[in-house]
Amino acid sequence: RKRRYATAIDIGHYSVKIVTVAADEAGRIQVQRATVQPLDLSVSASQDSDLRRAQLSALKAALHHHKRLVGRVVVALPRSLTTIRYLTLPSSDRDELREMVLLDAERHIPFSVDDVEIDFEILEQLGEHESLIMMVGAPRSEIQALLDLCHEAGASPDLVDIDILGACRAYGQDGEVEETKAIMDFGRESTGVGIVSNGRVLFTRSLS
């Protein structure tokens, strides 16, 4: 059967994780390969430069052990670094919605709009001229730092996604479409929580 593949890279403060998954024609997800590489924290990581060196070394080792990055390559941005808002806007045209989101972004985002990357997803058409959207904002500097680590280690991500949103999209489609599901991502630093219903991500949170 025809399968679609994707590989996710998650760079944390304690480990680097790489997971390759495959989706069949029905959208069911199977993990093909998973690699976990702990960071070497024997040397003090009290400064950002120390942590970055440890992350880069662990990422290189993880890429070596994982061997191949199959399908679309996604690097995970922590939910704790982002802002997600659900907005109802008076349009059904994607270009108009993008303009509305950008014009009003400062009101919804708690950091400078000069250093922010903004994207959105249309969740539902509420009427002929009204849409429910999910808006995501993240500091551009945090995104670039992740991409720089990947490129320096020899990986070329196709896109950046929020860690818990990626997990919700991957595993939220398992089972009956009408079911409401809770996706839990337990980590050493934090736990990601997502609620998915009818293929829509209704809620996400990062808990310390």
Side-chain angles (χ1 to χ4, degrees):
R1 288 183 292 181
K2 186 176 180 181
R3 290 186 171 190
R4 293 176 289 110
Y5 292 88
T7 299
I9 300 173
D10 186 356
I11 304 170
H13 285 196
Y14 295 96
S15 66
V16 170
K17 293 172 279 188
I18 303 178
V19 180
T20 296
V21 298
D24 61 20
E25 292 174 339
R28 291 183 293 265
I29 299 294
Q30 285 188 331
V31 174
Q32 303 294 297
R33 186 174 181 83
T35 300
V36 179
Q37 181 65 43
L39 269 63
D40 180 6
L41 298 177
S42 59
V43 179
S44 172
S46 58
Q47 298 190 20
D48 290 344
S49 58
D50 297 328
L51 175 62
R52 190 185 188 282
R53 279 194 295 270
Q55 288 175 322
L56 180 59
S57 178
L59 178 55
K60 287 180 177 179
L63 290 168
H64 174 74
H65 292 306
H66 202 78
K67 299 192 185 302
R68 291 182 61 217
L69 303 184
V70 183
R72 186 169 57 171
V73 179
V74 183
V75 63
L77 184 70
R79 170 66 177 87
S80 58
L81 297 177
T82 69
T83 294
I84 295 180
R85 296 284 186 266
Y86 293 85
L87 307 173
T88 299
L89 297 177
S91 178
S92 58
D93 180 82
R94 187 170 185 85
D95 291 336
E96 285 184 357
L97 289 170
R98 178 172 295 281
E99 188 174 341
M100 290 178 188
V101 166
L102 294 176
L103 284 173
D104 204 27
E106 195 167 5
R107 190 159 63 93
H108 302 289
I109 294 175
F111 30 75
S112 172
V113 293
D114 295 329
D115 178 40
V116 66
E117 195 71 33
I118 298 173
D119 203 353
F120 70 94
E121 180 178 329
I122 300 173
L123 299 178
E124 185 179 358
Q125 299 287 351
L126 300 176
E128 188 176 351
H129 301 294
E130 194 171 47
S131 302
L132 174 65
I133 71 164
M134 176 175 63
M135 183 194 76
V136 180
R140 196 171 288 120
S141 55
E142 298 287 354
I143 296 171
Q144 192 59 52
L146 279 177
L147 292 175
D148 289 345
L149 270 174
C150 289
H151 292 148
E152 195 169 340
S156 299
D158 296 301
L159 59 95
V160 177
D161 200 358
I162 313 305
D163 50 11
I164 188 60
L165 288 183
C168 286
R169 277 191 276 270
Y171 296 103
Q173 55 191 320
D174 279 352
E176 297 296 326
V177 174
E178 294 80 12
E179 289 179 341
T180 298
K181 311 174 188 70
I183 308 297
M184 307 289 290
D185 181 7
F186 295 96
R188 183 170 174 178
E189 302 161 69
S190 63
T191 294
V193 181
I195 305 297
V196 182
S197 184
N198 289 321
R200 286 169 32 191
V201 181
L202 303 180
F203 171 86
T204 62
R205 186 66 55 83
S206 178
L207 307 173
S208 299

